[in-house]
Structure formats: structure tokens, C-alpha cells
Amino acid sequence: MIRKEDVDKIKNYGKRNYNLSFDKPTLVGIRGALPDENGILRRNSNSINEWNDSLLIITKTNSYFFVGTLDPGRFYVDFPMNSEGTAQLQSGLYEFTKGYHGFSKHGTKFPAFVPYSNLLIKRDGNKDSIWNHLDKNFTGKFGINIHAQFNEGEVEKNSAGCTVVKAKWNSPTWRQFYDLLKNEVKFKYMVLDGAEIV
């Protein structure tokens, strides 16, 4: 749970920077910040491979908090799927829609959310797990999806740059997250750094 005062701060940030009205379900990803036991949003070290980011679905009348990651796991930083380095979705406003996440070699597809708009990503070319001015930006449609986790424990192979909810595919937590957004033709996804709110 995130306290109302912090939800209001997030909504005001979205209105001020992106003219968001929050009249339809809107997803917010806050990198490097989680609520404490009183629901007060606190910044953290945003260490690689940890579930240390907040995901918040804001509807017209309510808000729903989930723990997750906006960053890839250590495995894909060390062994990127792209020669330019592993992607990190950058702060900004994006649109996503219902789709599937899966690997053709397994023949399995999982209900998830996929990009509707172009994305701005940064690739960790030097594999230092720090996405900064030393790394290149790219804009386009990439396989940066929003989905549930595959494996327990640290982030590791659960994310190669996707936004991942810390919940297994068949869990009530993932089902709630998915159900809140699945009926939207497309929805807004606002990504920001905890420092911009906390």
C-alpha cells in the first residue's frame, strides 16, 4: 500500500508533466522506491537484481500497489540478448496493450502487456549495470513487455529489460494486476525515478 499523500504526488507529477487525467486505469512504475510499513514511499539503493521498484495502477476511484522491477536481472546484464547491451526502459510516458510474453522454443505464450507506442531505452554497453551517459539510447518498438515472474528468488532471468511484477503467473497477485488493465484497448504507462517523487 502507498499512502494517499504519495499517490496524490504521483498524480500531480503525471498531470504536470504529461497532462494525465487518470480517468482510465494508468500504470506507474517508480524505479528505486518502495513504501515502508506505514505506506510512505521511500527511496532505496535500486541495487541490481532486487525487487525494489513500485508498480502502481491508478484508476478513477482507487490505486493498487505491486512490488516489481523495472530493471533487468544480473544474468542479462552479464549475458545480454543484444550486442549493444541489455535494455533499461527510460523515464517517460508510454502506451501498452494486451498481448503475450513467451519464448517460441518452448511453444508457450503467457498473457501479458506489450508496447503499443515507441519506447525509449538505454543499453548497458559496458555491462556495469549502471545505465548512464556512457550508454547509448535507442527509440523504437522493442520486446520490453510487462509480465509476471517465472522464477522465485532474485530478479536474474525474470527480466531482460521487461517490467516484471513480483508474482508468479498463476498467483492471485498477478491475476489482480492483469485484470485491472486487460480490458483497456491501450493504457498509459508512466515510468519515473523515485528521486522525482520522494
Side-chain angles (χ1 to χ4, degrees):
M1 176 197 86
I2 295 179
R3 66 177 182 165
K4 183 182 183 307
E5 293 93 327
D6 287 331
V7 174
D8 288 343
K9 271 193 213 174
I10 292 163
K11 289 169 82 171
N12 287 334
Y13 179 92
K15 288 172 186 173
R16 187 173 63 250
N17 290 281
Y18 301 112
N19 202 29
L20 287 175
S21 62
F22 296 97
D23 58 337
K24 293 185 175 181
T26 302
L27 176 61
V28 180
I30 308 168
R31 180 174 281 121
L34 286 171
D36 65 15
E37 63 277 2
N38 297 311
I40 300 169
L41 204 56
R42 305 278 188 196
R43 287 176 62 190
N44 58 54
S45 63
N46 197 38
S47 298
I48 191 75
N49 227 27
E50 294 181 10
W51 302 96
N52 52 19
D53 302 326
S54 292
L55 296 169
L56 190 66
I57 298 175
I58 301 174
T59 67
K60 199 169 187 175
T61 58
N62 214 335
S63 64
Y64 304 85
F65 165 73
F66 303 87
V67 174
T69 185
L70 278 65
D71 303 319
R74 169 67 65 192
F75 178 85
Y76 286 111
V77 171
D78 293 340
F79 305 100
M81 298 170 76
N82 185 295
S83 61
E84 296 275 6
T86 296
Q88 182 196 61
L89 185 60
Q90 297 300 287
S91 293
L93 182 65
Y94 307 101
E95 290 180 318
F96 276 70
T97 189
K98 195 162 55 171
Y100 292 95
H101 183 82
F103 305 96
S104 57
K105 67 180 180 180
H106 299 304
T108 304
K109 290 184 178 180
F110 297 91
F113 301 103
V114 298
Y116 186 91
S117 66
N118 282 339
L119 306 177
L120 173 63
I121 63 168
K122 192 178 285 286
R123 291 195 178 277
D124 186 21
N126 57 10
K127 299 184 183 179
D128 64 355
S129 68
I130 301 169
W131 289 262
N132 59 20
H133 66 282
L134 300 174
D135 302 305
K136 294 181 188 174
N137 287 335
F138 298 85
T139 302
K141 291 267 179 81
F142 306 99
I144 307 287
N145 299 332
I146 301 168
H147 62 80
Q149 71 182 106
F150 288 94
N151 307 305
E152 297 287 350
E154 297 180 316
V155 175
E156 286 294 355
K157 292 183 180 180
N158 285 298
S159 175
C162 293
T163 293
V164 183
V165 179
K166 188 178 189 291
K168 299 294 281 290
W169 292 95
N170 57 356
S171 70
T173 301
W174 169 250
R175 177 51 54 195
Q176 180 190 29
F177 182 95
Y178 185 77
D179 286 350
L180 284 164
L181 297 169
K182 71 178 183 182
N183 293 324
E184 303 302 312
V185 174
K186 59 183 178 178
F187 62 87
K188 306 285 188 189
Y189 179 19
M190 180 173 69
V191 176
L192 58 130
D193 190 274
E196 296 174 87
I197 293 295
V198 181

